[in-house]
Amino acid sequence: MTVLKLTQITDLHIGPIPDFTCRHLKTYKSLQSVLTAIKRDGRGDDRLLITGDIASDGQPEAYQQVDQLLSAEAKQALWLAGNHDSMDRMRKHLKNFPFTPVFEVNNWAIIMLDSSMPGQPGGLISKTEMQQLEQHLANLSDKNILVAMHHSPIAVNSHWVDEHRIANHQQLYTLLASHGKVRAVVNGHIHQQHEANWGGIAVYSAPSTCFQFEPRSVKFSLGHQSPAYRWIDLHPNGHIETGVRFLASNTANA
Ligand SMILES: [Fe+2]
C-alpha cells in the first residue's frame, strides 16, 4: 500500500471579485501563490483538504472562482464549510468538486465534519452531525481515521480564539476516542500553525492561505507570518507525517 498524500489549505477568504482585499491582502492572489508553492515543492498532485472559510462571506462568485482555479489545475479536493461559508452555495457552485463526506483509500478514511453554526463565529457539532459521525465511525471500525473540521476542538492558548473552540468538544472527544483508531483531527479557523496531543489524538491546524492571527494573543491581533499550507502523509501503518510550509515572502499585499 502506498502513502496517501494530502495538502491542507484553509481559510482562503475569497471575495466576489479576484481583486477582493481582506486584512490588507488580495486573497485570490495569495491563494494562487500558495498553489504555486505547493507545485514547486513537489506536492502538486496531492489531494487538497480544504478546511473551510473558502469564501469571505459565502458569495457564489467566490466558490465559482475557486472551482475554476482548482479545475484548471486538475486538482482533486475534499472540502467542508467554515463559519464564513454557505454549505448550500458550496454544493451548488463548487460544481467540479462534489461534497464528499467520507473519503476512503486502502486502510485510511477521512471524515469531513461540519463544525459551523449559521451566523456564529464559534464551533459546535450539531446533534445530527454527531449522529452521522457515530455512524461513520461504526462503519469504518477497521480503518485509520483522520477527521477534518473547521473549528479547533482544543484550546490553543489564545484567549479570543479559544472562545470559538468547539463548544461540545468533550462529547466529540469521547466519541472519537471510543473508535480506537482515530489518529488525528485537522482543522482551520485559527489562522496559525498548531500541533497538540488531545488525549492520544493528534490535532493539527494550518495557517491560512492569506492573513494570519498572532499566536498566544489575548485580544484579536493579526500576525506577520506569510501565507502557508500543511502537507500530510498518511502511512499504511497508521503513522502520520506532517509539516507546515510558509511562503518565503508575502506577494499579495494590497
Ligand atoms: Fe473561520
Side-chain angles (χ1 to χ4, degrees), residues 26-46:
K26 290 184 188 297
T27 55
Y28 184 83
K29 190 174 176 189
S30 188
L31 171 61
Q32 285 180 308
S33 299
V34 171
L35 292 173
T36 299
I38 291 168
K39 197 172 185 177
R40 186 196 60 218
D41 295 343
R43 306 221 33 140
D45 294 332
D46 286 13

Side-chain angles (χ1 to χ4, degrees), residues 11 13 52-53 82-84 121 150-151 188-191:
D11 299 272
H13 290 265
D53 284 358
N83 52 299
H84 288 277
H150 181 63
H151 295 84
H189 187 69
I190 64 173
H191 290 238

Side-chain angles (χ1 to χ4, degrees), residues 60-107:
E61 298 87 351
Y63 302 126
Q64 289 160 6
Q65 288 170 70
V66 171
D67 186 70
Q68 287 163 17
L69 178 61
L70 299 186
S71 300
E73 298 208 7
K75 293 288 189 186
Q76 294 180 307
L78 302 167
W79 55 264
L80 50 74
N83 52 299
H84 288 277
D85 287 315
S86 157
M87 190 67 187
D88 289 346
R89 291 179 195 163
M90 293 169 104
R91 284 183 188 272
K92 184 174 178 187
H93 297 290
L94 292 169
K95 60 180 179 358
N96 290 306
F97 302 92
F99 179 63
T100 307
V102 178
F103 178 74
E104 291 180 61
V105 174
N106 299 326
N107 60 346

Side-chain angles (χ1 to χ4, degrees), residues 101-235:
V102 178
F103 178 74
E104 291 180 61
V105 174
N106 299 326
N107 60 346
W108 274 95
I110 302 165
I111 300 175
M112 308 301 281
L113 189 64
D114 190 347
S115 62
S116 63
M117 292 186 281
Q120 299 285 333
L124 179 82
I125 310 301
S126 70
K127 191 174 176 187
T128 306
E129 202 70 12
M130 199 75 83
Q131 287 170 342
Q132 285 175 356
L133 174 61
E134 187 172 8
Q135 192 60 58
H136 289 321
L137 291 173
N139 294 341
L140 299 164
S141 59
D142 59 332
K143 302 275 189 184
N144 296 298
I145 307 283
L146 183 149
V147 186
M149 59 194 77
H150 181 63
H151 295 84
S152 177
I154 61 167
V156 299
N157 199 21
S158 178
H159 181 71
W160 74 277
V161 165
D162 289 340
E163 290 188 340
H164 297 178
R165 179 186 186 182
I166 291 171
N168 50 349
H169 55 84
Q170 187 59 53
Q171 186 188 358
L172 176 62
Y173 176 78
T174 301
L175 176 55
L176 294 179
S178 71
H179 180 275
K181 292 176 79 173
V182 175
R183 306 298 184 193
V185 165
V186 175
N187 67 274
H189 187 69
I190 64 173
H191 290 238
Q192 60 196 275
Q193 179 180 0
H194 195 269
E195 290 97 13
N197 183 333
W198 190 31
I201 299 171
V203 181
Y204 302 115
S205 77
S208 162
T209 59
C210 51
F211 58 90
Q212 314 302 354
F213 298 146
E214 189 62 31
R216 295 174 295 284
S217 55
V218 176
K219 295 179 183 173
F220 172 83
S221 179
L222 283 178
H224 302 288
Q225 300 82 0
S226 302
Y229 69 90
R230 176 180 286 282
W231 59 270
I232 303 169
D233 288 350
L234 303 180
H235 290 265

